[in-house]
Every structure is written in structure tokens, then in C-alpha cells.
């Protein structure tokens, strides 16, 4: 099989981590007789500089002509003075909208070796395995009207959802829960917001299609606390765009580093895969960024777009083995450097590739 993937490395550490993840994908798919058919386009700050826009039309066209899009990261402090619609992030939001994926899956699981990196106690985080389903195309990010009247000193955004937008993302959450521990936690702010009341009513309706799955509700403020106190109690968590953005950064504390969190978007014409972390411009070009979130994102791409579960499993296993053997990027070695080998971005990528090979030979 030829896997047609558009790569958009983006800004900051994006190009470095994407390079390593692609090299791992090449290794895995080659061993099972597949090939990657790659194309590369600009997005974000690099595109603003070269093309005058964060999302050049040829990037959208190439994305729509591919089977999956693999994105590094976008964003750079040098564009901080620009209005939101002209910043690098607008490129990513435009691409998400063009592709149509509305369910952003962000798995949060604790690697045993990394629990020492979490500021939470190991007995709290050990065994955590949560699938966040973040609604990605609605809410405050896209809601109209929006604006900023500088003269009056007033700015506003709109958190808006239709029943259909809620129902479709809820269905994805219930379907995932059916294959997992059969619990869906829906997060809202229904004690204050009408949009959350609609959210909650709709999720309750959709739940009737899935009698084998238990549904519970949490307010987002309380959820942010429960996540830190009892993360193991959650299975699938579904929530709207902004709440999901915030809660998943918070949940990365469980895994020890935001550098371990992959993500993939489902439900669109073409699905988009991107690590949950940002472009970390201050780490760019220093060979210190952690490529593991992006490598794990590559595994999600193989699993969800191409159905290559065995290949995806090999990548996850290889990452686990590399960690078991004491290899770390610097973000994962701050708290307990004894007995660990700290690797650069390229060396970590090479180590995962080597381990993938080893696993494929012994399989
Ligand atoms: C994320 C990021 C993006 C978001 C930014 C870069 C627009 O924070 O993927 O979580 O807010 O969705
Ligand atoms: Mn975010």
C-alpha cells in the first residue's frame, strides 16, 4: 500500500520533530511492505514569511489531495503583535476547518518510567489511561460574531454550538468508549452557560444509542481538580474546544511532559495528526526537543487513517522500550538524571528506529 501523506513541519521545533517521526514511520512501513508517498508544504510563521499568509492555498490543495496530514507545530513569538487572524495559529485553524476533522483524540497515558517526572505522586498517576475527545471545529475558536473595538475598549468572542455539532463528537466518544472501559465523562459548564446546557442535553440523547456505555457529567472547574486527584478514574472524556485545549495541557502533567502527548483528528474528509504541544521556539534548532509526542502521533496516523494497528503498536512498544532502557530527552530527565542517558532530538529518533528494527526482527 502507498500511504499518501502531506507533511507540514511548521515553525520552531516542528521541522526537527517531524523529521524524526517521518524517519520512524519509514522504517515501520517499509518492514511490512508499504511505502510513504510524501509531499511537504508550508504553514504558520514560515508561510507568513515566504508566502505572505499563514495558510497558502497550495498547502490546502495538497492537504485535500492527500490521505492524511502530519503537522509539526506552528507559532512564533515574533508574530505576537499581529491580530489573531494573521498569526501563524490562524494557519492551523484554517487547515483544521478545511479538512473538517471535528474530533481531536488526545490519549493521555502514564509511561511507568516517567511517573517520577510528574509532580503528582506515582500512586496517583500510575495506570492512568484517558482518551480525551476535544471538539475541534466549534466553540470560541470559530464562533461568530467576534471582534475587538479598540476605541471602545471592548472585545468579544462567541461560544456557539449546534446540536448536530455536539452529537457527532459525542458519538465518536461513545464509540471509543465501547472499545475501552465503557465510561464517558462529558465536561461542560452547564450551571452557567446555555451552550453547555445544550451540550449536556445532546450528550444525554446520544447516550441512549449506547446503552452499554456509562455516561457521567462534570463541570469543567471541578474536572480540572479531579484530573489531578484521581486521573485513573477516567476513560473517555469529551468536551468542547476551549475546555479541551486547557484540560489536555493540564493532563500532560500526568505523563510527566507535554512532549509525550500525541493527537489525531477524526471525522473529516482528511484527518490531521499533530502533537498536542506547541512550537517551543526557544528550543528550536538546538537538537534538544523531545520528538516522542510526534513519533506517537505517527503511530496514531497509521492506526486511524490506514488501519495499520500492528505497525502502530510496534512504534508505541519501541517508545516504551527506549524509556525502559533509560534513554530520555532533556525535558524528561530534569528530576532524576542518575542512571539515565540524555539524548538529543536526532539521537532519540535514531534510538526509536533502532528499537523498531529490533522488535520487527524478533516479532
Ligand atoms: C493545540 C494548540 C492550538 C490550539 C494552537 C496552536 C492554535 O494549543 O493544538 O492545543 O489552541 O488548538
Ligand atoms: Mn493547546
Amino acid at each position: 500500500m502507498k500511504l499518501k501523506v502531506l507533511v507540514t513541519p511548521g515553525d520552531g521545533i516542528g521541522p526537527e520533530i517531524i523529521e524524526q517521526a517521518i524517519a520512524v514511520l519509514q522504517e515501520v512501513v517499509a518492514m511490512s511492505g508499504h511505502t510513504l508517498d510524501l509531499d511537504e508544504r508550508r504553514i504558520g510563521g514560515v508561510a507568513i514569511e515566504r508566502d505572505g499568509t499563514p495558510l497558502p492555498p497550495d498547502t490546502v490543495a495538497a492537504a485535500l489531495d492527500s490521505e492524511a496530514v502530519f503537522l509539526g507545530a506552528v507559532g512564533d513569538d515574533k508574530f505576537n503583535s499581529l491580530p489573531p487572524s494573521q498569526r501563524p495559529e490562524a494557519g492551523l485553524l484554517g487547515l483544521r476547518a478545511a479538512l473538517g476533522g471535528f474530533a481531536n483524540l488526545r490519549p493521555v497515558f502514564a509511561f511507568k518510567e516517567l511517573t517520577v517526572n510528574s509532580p503528582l505522586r506515582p500512586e496517583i498517576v500510575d495506570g492512568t489511561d484517558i482518551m480525551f475527545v476535544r471538539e475541534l471545529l466549534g466553540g470560541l475558536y470559530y464562533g461568530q460574531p467576534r471582534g475587538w473595538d479598540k476605541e471602545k475598549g471592548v472585545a468579544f468572542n462567541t461560544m456557539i454550538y449546534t446540536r448536530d455539532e455536539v452529537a457527532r463528537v459525542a458519538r465518536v466518544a461513545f464509540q471509543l468508549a465501547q472499545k475501552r472501559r465503557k465510561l464517558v465523562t462529558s465536561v461542560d459548564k452547564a450551571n452557567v452557560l446555555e451552550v453547555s446546557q445544550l451540550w449536556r442535553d445532546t450528550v444525554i440523547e446520544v447516550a441512549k444509542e449506547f446503552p452499554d456505555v456509562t455516561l457521567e457529567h462534570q463541570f469543567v472547574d471541578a474536572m480540572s481538580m479531579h484530573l489531578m486527584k484521581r486521573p485513573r478514574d477516567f476513560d473517555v472524556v469529551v468536551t468542547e474546544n476551549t475546555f479541551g485545549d486547557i484540560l489536555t495541557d493540564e493532563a500532560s502533567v500526568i505523563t510527566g511532559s507535554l512532549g509525550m502527548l500525541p493527537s489525531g483528528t477524526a471525522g473529516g474528509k482528511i484527518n490531521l495528526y499533530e502533537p498536542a504541544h506547541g512550537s517551543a521556539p526557544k528550543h528550536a534548532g538546538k537538537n534538544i526537543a523531545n520528538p516522542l509526542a510526534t513519533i506517537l502521533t505517527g503511530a496514531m496516523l497509521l492506526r486511524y487513517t490506514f488501519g495499520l494497528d500492528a505497525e502502530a503498536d510496534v512504534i508505541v512498544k519501541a517508545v516504551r522500550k527506549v524509556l525502559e532502557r533509560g534513554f530520555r530527552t532533556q525535558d524528561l530527565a530534569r528530576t532524576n538524571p542518575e542512571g539515565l542517558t540524555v539524548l538529543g532530538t536526532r539521537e532519540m529518533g535514531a534510538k526509536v528506529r533502532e528499537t523498531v528494527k529490533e522488535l520487527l526482527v524478533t516479532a
Side-chain angles (χ1 to χ4, degrees):
M1 179 161 58
K2 253 199 160 90
L3 320 178
K4 194 164 185 200
V5 176
L6 177 74
V7 183
T8 50
D11 304 318
I13 60 171
E16 298 163 66
I17 54 177
I18 271 284
E19 187 186 341
Q20 295 313 314
I22 293 290
V24 170
L25 284 184
Q26 306 265 29
E27 195 72 56
V28 179
V29 304
M31 300 296 274
S32 49
H34 305 299
T35 49
L36 287 180
D37 175 4
L38 298 174
D39 189 4
E40 187 177 316
R41 294 296 150 116
R42 285 189 288 272
I43 192 169
V46 286
I48 294 177
E49 283 175 336
R50 294 279 299 274
D51 312 285
T53 164
L55 185 61
D58 67 294
T59 300
V60 178
L64 289 171
D65 191 40
S66 69
E67 292 173 281
V69 180
F70 198 6
L71 177 121
V74 297
D76 198 314
D77 296 337
K78 64 182 159 204
F79 302 106
N80 282 354
S81 61
L82 292 177
S85 63
Q86 292 167 28
R87 290 169 58 114
E89 288 82 354
L92 174 55
L93 299 183
L95 181 63
R96 285 175 181 169
L99 298 180
F102 54 81
N104 185 218
L105 315 186
R106 297 190 163 187
V108 173
F109 46 95
F111 284 98
K112 201 163 59 347
E113 291 71 26
L114 299 184
T115 53
V116 292
N117 290 305
S118 175
L120 302 172
R121 288 197 303 277
E123 65 268 30
I124 304 267
V125 299
D126 265 343
T128 296
D129 180 4
I130 307 175
M131 178 63 89
F132 277 89
V133 182
R134 169 189 174 193
E135 199 293 324
L136 203 63
L137 291 186
L140 289 173
Y141 278 61
Y142 294 94
Q144 294 291 346
R146 61 189 291 163
W148 184 0
D149 187 329
K150 294 210 170 147
E151 227 144 80
K152 288 198 190 131
V154 181
F156 56 98
N157 290 86
T158 303
M159 190 187 271
I160 182 165
Y161 274 103
T162 65
R163 204 169 349 139
D164 289 349
E165 283 172 329
V166 179
R168 64 184 187 177
V169 74
R171 262 184 210 108
V172 171
F174 282 101
Q175 281 158 2
L176 286 165
Q178 282 184 318
K179 294 190 209 123
R180 295 171 48 103
R181 303 191 305 281
K182 300 193 167 52
L183 171 66
V184 168
T185 304
S186 171
V187 180
D188 60 38
K189 188 71 185 171
N191 50 346
V192 176
L193 305 174
E194 285 81 0
V195 63
S196 281
Q197 290 175 339
L198 170 96
W199 179 280
R200 190 176 284 216
D201 279 3
T202 308
V203 175
I204 289 171
E205 269 311 300
V206 170
K208 293 181 186 153
E209 299 165 27
F210 303 88
D212 54 330
V213 178
T214 304
L215 169 66
E216 63 170 24
H217 305 276
Q218 291 289 347
F219 296 132
V220 62
D221 50 351
M223 184 64 183
S224 70
M225 177 185 68
H226 293 307
L227 261 183
M228 297 293 100
K229 286 176 90 165
R230 49 180 191 92
R232 265 198 306 253
D233 290 352
F234 300 101
D235 178 16
V236 175
V237 176
V238 63
T239 191
E240 67 89 44
N241 206 344
T242 307
F243 297 163
D245 179 45
I246 298 168
L247 289 178
T248 52
D249 263 34
E250 188 198 13
S252 78
V253 168
I254 297 165
T255 67
S257 170
L258 195 48
M260 295 304 296
L261 229 63
S263 109
T265 303
K269 292 185 281 255
I270 314 288
N271 290 322
L272 173 65
Y273 296 86
E274 44 173 323
H277 61 68
S279 57
K282 68 174 190 294
H283 297 321
K286 297 185 185 154
N287 196 38
I288 57 172
N290 181 354
L292 293 177
T294 315
I295 289 171
L296 292 168
T297 298
M300 292 185 76
L301 182 153
L302 294 183
R303 193 186 305 282
Y304 293 111
T305 289
F306 298 106
L308 298 175
D309 285 331
E311 287 79 355
D313 289 344
V314 168
I315 296 179
V316 178
K317 250 191 225 153
V319 168
R320 203 177 285 283
K321 265 228 142 24
V322 164
L323 295 172
E324 274 167 22
R325 291 173 178 166
F327 297 106
R328 302 282 188 275
T329 42
Q330 48 92 36
D331 57 311
L332 302 175
R334 279 194 207 113
T335 47
N336 62 332
E338 320 87 70
L340 299 178
T341 311
V342 178
L343 301 179
T345 311
R346 285 190 292 275
E347 292 70 26
M348 181 52 99
K351 193 54 81 184
V352 175
R353 285 201 304 281
E354 197 181 288
T355 312
V356 159
K357 264 194 224 159
E358 180 190 316
L359 287 170
L360 289 171
V361 169
T362 54

